[in-house]
């Protein structure tokens, strides 16, 4: 199975800050990497697919990069509605696997 | 409006069975692959099972922890996805989400999610 490791597990940041979350795959997955945002009690929401493609309707302050084993999700200027947990997920092969999540909290 | 609505969750004793349903609307259900993803309380996301569409043979795939106990199926005439869960144990306690798999070329992602249904396995 392909293991996905996210870091950090949590972070505190202020409004307007730039935030970077990393995701590492246990083997190369090319660009088969997706990012989701989840708020408490809600279903996950797709932000980025294929490592760097922004899902329709998602604000442009979100961006994704990387290929192979190392990926990043960047929020260029943190907004109040961005406080949530973020998950990466590989779609290179089954079993489809997720990272452990990064909780973004208010500083 | 694209919508996925899960139902069928509840409290079940260890060793028991439950069948979840996911009613789809707002898109052409028989054209898409579908998956179940679960989330144990306070934990991360775990993919459970996938079913492809009829054109791809309705092929199924399962995560190791549920293989042989869970069965994913679909009824395209009813636009409904199912998850039959047998021999449940406490580690199956989770919110279960159904999700539509969207794709572009070989790239696949979970583009649409239901609101989830809670399954609690406890004596």
């Amino acid at each position: 199975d392909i293991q996905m490791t996210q870091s950090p597990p949590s972070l505190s940041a202020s409004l307007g800050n730039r935030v970077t979350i990393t995701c590492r795959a246990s083997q190369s997955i090319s660009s088969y990497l997706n990012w989701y945002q989840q708020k408490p009690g809600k279903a996950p929401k797709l932000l980025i697919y294929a490592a760097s493609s922004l899902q329709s309707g998602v604000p442009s302050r979100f961006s994704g990069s990387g290929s192979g084993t190392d990926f990043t999700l960047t929020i260029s200027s943190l907004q109040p509605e961005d406080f949530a947990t973020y998950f990466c997920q590989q779609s290179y092969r089954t079993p489809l696997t997720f990272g452990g999540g990064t909780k973004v909290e208010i500083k | 409006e694209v919508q996925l609505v899960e139902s069928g969750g509840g409290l079940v004793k260890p060793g028991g069975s439950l069948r979840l349903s996911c009613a789809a609307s707002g898109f052409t259900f028989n054209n898409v692959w579908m998956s179940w993803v679960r989330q144990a309380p306070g934990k991360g996301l775990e993919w459970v099972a996938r079913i492809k569409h009829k054109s791809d043979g309705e092929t199924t795939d399962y995560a190791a922890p549920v293989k042989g106990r869970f069965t994913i199926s679909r009824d395209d005439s009813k636009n409904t996805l199912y998850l039959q869960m047998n021999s449940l144990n406490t580690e199956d306690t989770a919110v279960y989400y159904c999700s539509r798999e969207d794709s572009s070329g070989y790239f696949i992602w979970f583009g649409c999610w239901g609101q989830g249904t809670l399954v609690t396995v406890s004596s």
Side-chain angles (χ1 to χ4, degrees), chain A residues 38 41-44, chain B residues 4-10 20-23 36-39 45 94-99 112-119:
Chain A
Q38 186 179 35
K42 300 293 187 183
Chain B
L4 295 171
V5 179
E6 302 94 336
S7 60
L20 305 183
S21 299
C22 170
W36 288 97
V37 176
R38 68 184 180 183
Q39 186 170 36
L45 299 167
V95 173
Y96 285 74
Y97 297 100
C98 69
S99 182
C112 179
W113 298 69
Q115 85 288 352
T117 187
L118 176 62
V119 172

Side-chain angles (χ1 to χ4, degrees), chain A residues 11-99:
Chain A
L11 65 89
S12 296
S14 301
L15 294 177
N17 279 180
R18 182 182 185 89
V19 168
T20 299
I21 298 168
T22 65
C23 179
R24 174 164 287 176
S26 60
Q27 66 178 81
S28 178
I29 58 170
S30 184
S31 296
Y32 295 91
L33 190 283
N34 308 312
W35 289 98
Y36 303 86
Q37 176 194 66
Q38 186 179 35
K39 296 182 178 178
K42 300 293 187 183
K45 171 190 169 185
L46 177 72
L47 297 176
I48 302 284
Y49 62 92
S52 61
S53 295
L54 190 69
Q55 169 71 344
S56 176
V58 174
S60 60
R61 63 180 179 274
F62 290 93
S63 63
S65 64
S67 67
T69 60
D70 294 314
F71 302 85
T72 60
L73 173 71
T74 299
I75 310 172
S76 60
S77 177
L78 199 63
Q79 299 302 300
E81 60 268 31
D82 300 338
F83 293 96
T85 301
Y86 295 84
F87 294 94
C88 61
Q89 175 249 328
Q90 65 81 17
S91 62
Y92 184 74
R93 69 160 60 103
T94 57
L96 307 176
T97 47
F98 291 85

Side-chain angles (χ1 to χ4, degrees), chain B:
Chain B
E1 180 195 4
V2 173
Q3 204 169 11
L4 295 171
V5 179
E6 302 94 336
S7 60
L11 176 63
V12 60
K13 288 183 166 51
S17 298
L18 212 55
R19 188 176 85 153
L20 305 183
S21 299
C22 170
S25 60
F27 62 96
T28 307
F29 182 73
N30 62 13
N31 269 358
V32 301
W33 296 5
M34 296 292 296
S35 271
W36 288 97
V37 176
R38 68 184 180 183
Q39 186 170 36
K43 301 296 185 182
L45 299 167
E46 179 185 24
W47 172 78
V48 172
R50 162 198 273 170
I51 185 165
K52 298 181 179 179
H53 49 53
K54 185 163 285 190
S55 301
D56 284 338
E58 288 193 11
T59 306
T60 59
D61 204 352
Y62 297 91
V66 308
K67 197 166 188 177
R69 300 188 299 122
F70 290 13
T71 301
I72 188 172
S73 62
R74 62 193 298 160
D75 185 335
D76 291 344
S77 69
K78 295 182 179 178
N79 288 347
T80 301
L81 177 73
Y82 301 101
L83 185 68
Q84 177 66 43
M85 304 186 295
N86 298 332
S87 303
L88 285 160
N89 59 60
T90 56
E91 292 172 354
D92 296 316
T93 294
V95 173
Y96 285 74
Y97 297 100
C98 69
S99 182
R100 185 186 72 191
E101 295 192 33
D102 295 333
S103 65
S104 176
Y106 290 108
F107 294 103
I108 298 172
W109 56 90
F110 298 119
C112 179
W113 298 69
Q115 85 288 352
T117 187
L118 176 62
V119 172
T120 303
V121 184
S122 175
S123 54

